[in-house]
Amino acid sequence: MLQRCLFPAAGYGTRFLPATKAMPKEMLPILTKPLIQYGVEEAMEAGCSVMAIITGRGKRAITDHFDISYELEHQIDGTSKESLLDSIREILNKCTFTYTRQNEMNGLGDAIYKGRVLVGEKYPYGVILADDLCINQDGDGVLTQMAKLYQKYKCCIVAIMEVPHEDVHKYGVIEGKELEDGVYMVSNMVEKPDNDKAPSNMAVIGRYILTPDIFPILKTVKAGKNGEIQITDALCKMAEKGMVIAYKFKGKRFDCGSIDGFVEATNYFYNLEKETNK
Ligand code: G1P
């Protein structure tokens, strides 16, 4: 049902300088896997086989990562190290990767708009921001949960979580009416509001299912917060027509765009791996 997933990955990752000077932030590893691979695996679980990546200058390592390295394959062929490449081989067997570049940093809305040549204008698609690393140990991954919900509502869906009031200025924030447990009909959305002006403490995290009718809106929406084209503003226009659902996802989310979140995720995945190998 959901076949395509878009990965905006053009950002500079300045918070991780100098590590991200010559390496894309999406390639920073949590244990042995780069962040973007976690995202791709989540999308695969949700049924996607076309991974559409919005890259930028200096992001070639992402393209190389999702490709065969013949030299490496040859080196480890028949050795005990072969299994280390299993996860990436499975991805390459099942998925197609497409790329386009966002030449100028014009915001998340602009990046998604650039992705329209990759995901087409006919079908719904997932959007994963790889630096929001999500895991649900108790069942379906976050995008799978959202894909199931899409079957019922057939409209745009954003994943949300409650955050402390002093943190709302870091997120897109929704206002809405609860339709069923953890599912809201969105009536308003604000990108990074001042803490005292936020409509709620329900923050959008980096998982979306978008319908193609978002593209004409993105084309005309004016620059918003920080002078950038915001997906939040385009979605807000759709929400006015009752076409956006917010979903309180099940699982954990780590903000791997920040040092704290990155270290937290590393510790969490390390302990998880230790537990599994016991
Ligand atoms: C983006 C979105 C924001 C959302 C956030 C989730 O912001 O613009 O609405 O809440 O991702 O991580 P960014 O963190 O890229 O500034």
Side-chain angles (χ1 to χ4, degrees), residues 15 25 108 129 131-132 170-173 189-192 203-208 226 228 230-232 253 255:
R15 273 187 277 181
K25 64 173 174 154
L108 181 56
L129 307 186
D131 49 15
D132 274 348
K170 298 179 188 161
Y171 299 92
V173 178
M189 291 177 81
V190 193
E191 179 66 11
K192 302 193 175 81
V204 177
I205 62 127
R207 296 293 179 280
Y208 307 77
N226 303 328
E228 295 179 333
Q230 300 294 347
I231 188 65
T232 305
R253 169 257 185 189
D255 172 14

Side-chain angles (χ1 to χ4, degrees), residues 12 22 34 53-54 83 124 127 179 193 205 212 218:
Y12 294 128
I53 305 186
I54 314 297
S83 63
V127 177
L179 298 174
I205 62 127
L218 275 173

Side-chain angles (χ1 to χ4, degrees), residues 27-35 38 133 262-274 276-277:
M27 288 301 292
L28 290 170
I30 298 293
L31 307 190
T32 55
K33 259 194 280 182
L35 280 170
Y38 286 93
L133 177 51
F262 188 85
V263 172
E264 232 181 276
T266 302
N267 290 331
Y268 182 89
F269 279 80
Y270 179 68
N271 288 327
L272 198 65
E273 190 158 299
K274 265 201 340 207
T276 341
N277 293 335

Side-chain angles (χ1 to χ4, degrees), residues 106-114 189 191 213-225 227-240:
N106 248 334
L108 181 56
D110 179 61
I112 292 175
Y113 186 70
K114 292 261 155 35
M189 291 177 81
E191 179 66 11
D213 42 358
I214 195 80
F215 288 130
I217 300 179
L218 275 173
K219 193 177 176 184
T220 54
V221 83
K222 292 202 172 61
K225 192 82 188 180
E228 295 179 333
I229 307 289
Q230 300 294 347
I231 188 65
T232 305
D233 296 340
L235 280 168
C236 187
K237 289 214 174 339
M238 293 194 79
E240 284 164 14

